[in-house]
Amino acid sequence: MSTFLLEIVTPERKIYAQQVDMVSVKGADGELGILAHHIPLVTPLKVAPVVIKVNGKKDELAVHGGFIQVSKEKVVILAESAELPGDIDINRAKAAKERAERRLANKKDHMDHRRAELALQRALARIEVRQHRD
Ligand code: ATP
């Protein structure tokens, strides 16, 4: 199987750069599995785990929104924030989940509601990625 270069970049740093066999992301229009020689595209991503296949192994990262860009040379995921499983603080993610759930239960303000929903999605993605590693 041919490989391609995958980079995952946040405003702070490049958190991943490796030759991979496949990357699977949750795009705005649904799941997207990308292999080498995929046609070029740019599309927004949802807050969700990104699954990578490399050398018969599976890597998973928590990626929080942003975009994926597929070009001839490489695939770049540009996200607001993203974490490798080992960098995720599970207690912080659980606390963020509870905070977001409390805010969602209190449905007064529409903007706060949307913000709490996104915070909840980030926390759930972090918890899922961390638990898959353990
Ligand atoms: P919190 O409410 O706990 O700050 P958040 O979802 O609002 O969570 P973000 O704004 O997405 O946090 O991220 C801010 C920075 O903190 C980013 O660099 C992100 O990678 C990091 N971060 C957030 N939550 C965690 C976590 N549970 N473990 C490790 N790093 C985290």
Side-chain angles (χ1 to χ4, degrees):
M1 191 189 255
S2 38
T3 63
F4 61 91
L5 176 62
L6 172 67
E7 293 181 353
I8 302 179
V9 183
T10 71
E12 279 109 46
R13 64 197 177 106
K14 189 179 280 186
I15 75 163
Y16 194 94
Q18 211 168 304
Q19 288 293 131
V20 305
D21 299 317
M22 193 190 88
V23 61
S24 173
V25 298
K26 202 169 184 185
D29 302 321
E31 289 286 335
L32 200 60
I34 294 177
L35 297 165
H37 313 300
H38 193 284
I39 50 160
L41 67 84
V42 176
T43 195
L45 295 179
K46 294 199 164 156
V47 171
V50 163
V51 178
I52 301 162
K53 290 205 179 131
V54 46
N55 289 329
K57 283 190 302 147
K58 228 168 84 170
D59 276 350
E60 200 175 22
L61 283 87
V63 174
H64 310 294
F67 290 86
I68 186 165
Q69 179 190 39
V70 180
S71 65
K72 273 196 186 138
E73 299 76 41
K74 60 186 177 181
V75 174
V76 180
I77 293 174
L78 194 63
E80 286 283 319
S81 61
E83 299 96 30
L84 290 159
D87 293 334
I88 293 172
D89 176 340
I90 188 76
N91 291 326
R92 178 173 166 184
K94 283 181 177 165
K97 173 175 177 280
E98 278 165 25
R99 208 163 46 239
E101 283 170 344
R102 265 200 313 277
R103 287 187 181 141
L104 287 172
N106 181 357
K107 293 189 188 120
K108 269 182 254 150
D109 184 324
H110 182 71
M111 272 309 287
D112 275 358
H113 195 78
R114 184 70 194 129
R115 209 184 299 162
E117 261 172 11
L118 289 170
L120 179 59
Q121 285 172 20
R122 290 194 297 275
L124 290 174
R126 287 173 177 131
I127 291 167
E128 187 178 333
V129 165
R130 179 66 199 207
Q131 283 176 347
H132 282 170
R133 190 205 75 152
D134 295 339

